[in-house]
Amino acid sequence: MRIEVRGVEPAEPAAAPALRFDLDLRARHADADAPIRALTLATQLRIDATGRGYDERARERLKELFGPPESWDRNLSSLLWTQTVTHVPAFTGATRTPVTVPCTYDFDVAATKYLHGLPDGEVPLSFLFTGTVFYQDGDRLQAACLPWDTEAAFRMPVAAWKELMDRHFPRTAWIRLERDTFDRLYAHKVRHTLLGWDDAVRSLLRTSGG
């Protein structure tokens, strides 16, 4: 089975942010005429961080992930984005199927930090596939595993992820706080009669000189 990634767009309809990657699947020549009854396709999606360049601004924004610029030769590495399973219906020869990737805005997740930190350009992605192919062999239904080296590369525009986040979280970002930290922030907000959470955080930043 040969698999290629043809494009990416926001998944719709979607209550939560997700991207849809379109895959072209094509049976190899020896199996091109064998009817495939179903395919269970497991996808591991990784960010190949070594596959692009970074200017000074990007290196500053990604310092939390990879450390100071002088250590990037050692620390720059592939990042796991997600893993998902897609059930592909019957086809013969070739087909196109979507793979939906949920996208979180949780800044405790390394992939979110990376995608948010890139100012522009492209994200080099590696799609690593495993799965089971169910195909017709005469009167018998057979099953076979995808070869271990079934994979595809794709360069996703950074704008695709950023525009998705802007659609679901316009002009906002999300962070998770421990409950006692939130309680202290809430008490600060009440004590100083501040209207919103942005006001409370800005007040603390002014106090600290940030």
Side-chain angles (χ1 to χ4, degrees), residues 24-180:
D24 277 353
L25 285 69
R26 187 173 299 276
R28 296 187 184 276
H29 296 299
D31 305 318
D33 297 326
I36 294 177
R37 296 306 181 192
L39 166 61
T40 301
L41 185 67
T43 305
Q44 182 183 111
L45 179 54
R46 302 191 68 87
I47 297 170
D48 182 14
T50 62
R52 60 158 286 162
Y54 302 89
D55 59 18
E56 184 177 348
R57 180 186 174 198
R59 287 174 179 265
E60 181 64 28
R61 289 166 65 96
L62 295 172
K63 184 183 296 185
E64 183 182 3
L65 278 178
F66 304 123
E70 60 270 18
S71 67
W72 276 43
D73 288 344
R74 301 188 307 272
N75 295 342
L76 197 64
S77 61
S78 173
L79 302 172
L80 175 65
W81 185 353
T82 192
Q83 299 184 84
T84 185
V85 175
T86 304
H87 298 284
V88 182
F91 69 95
T92 299
T95 190
R96 177 167 290 192
T97 191
V99 168
T100 301
V101 174
C103 298
T104 179
Y105 216 12
D106 182 352
F107 281 88
D108 288 336
V109 177
T112 301
K113 293 178 183 178
Y114 179 85
L115 293 167
H116 176 77
L118 293 179
D120 51 30
E122 295 177 328
V123 184
L125 300 176
S126 295
F127 291 73
L128 310 179
F129 301 108
T130 57
T132 305
V133 182
F134 299 91
Y135 65 96
Q136 198 73 31
D137 183 12
D139 295 331
R140 297 181 300 172
L141 183 65
Q142 303 278 9
C145 294
L146 286 179
W148 64 269
D149 59 349
T150 305
E151 56 188 59
F154 181 70
R155 299 187 73 85
M156 180 185 76
V158 173
W161 185 87
K162 291 186 179 291
E163 289 170 5
L164 179 72
M165 293 298 108
D166 286 341
R167 176 183 299 190
H168 286 265
F169 309 109
R171 294 179 55 83
T172 58
W174 296 92
I175 58 173
R176 182 170 54 190
L177 300 176
E178 292 184 0
R179 194 161 297 153
D180 60 342

